[in-house]
Amino acid sequence: MKALSKIISYPFTVLFYLLFGITILVFHPIQWISFNWFGYSAHKKTVDCFNWTIIRCLHALGTTFHVDINTSIPNNVPIIIVSNHQSMWDISPISWYLRKYHPKFISKVELGKGIPSVSFNLRHGGSILIDRKNPRQAIVEMVKFSKYLQKFRRSGVIFPEGTRSKTGVPKPFRRSGLQTLFKKVPDGYVVPVSINNSWKLQRWGMFPIQMGVRLEMTAHPAIKIADYDVEMLIDKVEETITSKIHK
């Protein structure tokens, strides 16, 4: 059955990449115009539409989404969204379903160029690009990012495992990034997010993409940063996220 499933996935993956390619090419000039001519709000709406479209492209593979967002998440406060990381397809569901909180990403510097739409948004949409080989640069960017979240009351997304889990099994959290954000955004809130089954979309790498995956995303109740010691808070967030990961 697995071999048959993989064979069937080939033509649908071709269809998906065709739709995905059109999407990133079409939205790149739209993003440029909205950002340069109309400012942040217009660019934000364009990025929201972009991520909604990517989710619709994944439907061509039979991908379905089950999303549970806790209603306790406050508005107009800085938020740190902490999520496990299973594939590159985690990004659009977080961006779309949590769009009211203006999510901005901590990403590796290599993604800041060469990818239509994606690279432009990472450079101009409020996200930051981290050079993993340069810890000093990473710390400076994280501090600037914290100030940005404080000032504009937006949310920052961090994947503390460092790299994606190729089997869905959570990796231990790297603490330095969380420590910086929690210390520099003391009046903010943390929203733990658990993602399941996204790894199956890249079970065979980038080609083919598995058909019929049910991607699940749970945004847990918000936690006030000031109510916890930083190390205890990291432990609590990690435990909350992993408690909803399918074993």
Side-chain angles (χ1 to χ4, degrees), residues 78-81 98 101-104 145 149 153-157:
I79 292 174
I80 310 299
I81 297 171
L98 295 174
Y101 306 105
H102 297 244
K104 313 301 177 186
F145 190 51
L149 300 180
R153 301 302 197 216
R154 291 170 185 160
S155 63
V157 183

Side-chain angles (χ1 to χ4, degrees), residues 5-142:
S5 174
K6 187 174 183 179
I7 292 171
I8 294 173
S9 294
Y10 277 98
F12 286 94
T13 301
V14 172
L15 173 61
F16 166 76
Y17 277 123
L18 175 62
L19 296 173
F20 178 72
I22 293 171
T23 297
I24 62 175
L25 291 174
V26 167
F27 272 94
H28 189 87
I30 296 174
Q31 277 196 66
W32 189 94
I33 292 170
S34 63
F35 177 79
N36 287 287
W37 291 6
F38 302 104
Y40 174 82
S41 295
H43 182 239
K44 164 71 166 55
K45 291 177 182 177
T46 300
V47 172
D48 290 344
C49 292
F50 171 61
N51 284 292
W52 177 87
T53 305
I54 291 176
I55 289 172
R56 295 299 171 261
C57 290
L58 286 166
H59 285 329
L61 292 159
T63 307
T64 57
F65 296 84
H66 178 77
V67 179
D68 182 14
I69 299 176
N70 192 280
T71 56
S72 75
I73 302 175
N75 296 308
N76 199 34
V77 296
I79 292 174
I80 310 299
I81 297 171
V82 184
S83 175
N84 64 307
H85 192 26
Q86 296 189 348
S87 81
M88 63 181 289
W89 308 113
D90 300 337
I91 309 298
S92 289
I94 292 174
S95 298
W96 172 250
Y97 291 109
L98 295 174
R99 63 191 180 280
K100 68 179 290 186
Y101 306 105
H102 297 244
K104 313 301 177 186
F105 289 83
I106 299 170
S107 184
K108 57 185 180 181
V109 70
E110 291 84 357
L111 296 178
K113 57 183 179 181
I115 309 173
S117 290
V118 174
S119 297
F120 184 91
N121 182 45
L122 288 174
R123 292 197 311 271
H124 301 289
S127 298
I128 60 169
L129 298 166
I130 296 297
D131 184 352
R132 295 177 179 176
K133 299 177 182 178
N134 187 343
R136 181 178 178 82
Q137 181 267 357
I139 293 174
V140 170
E141 289 298 316
M142 291 287 281

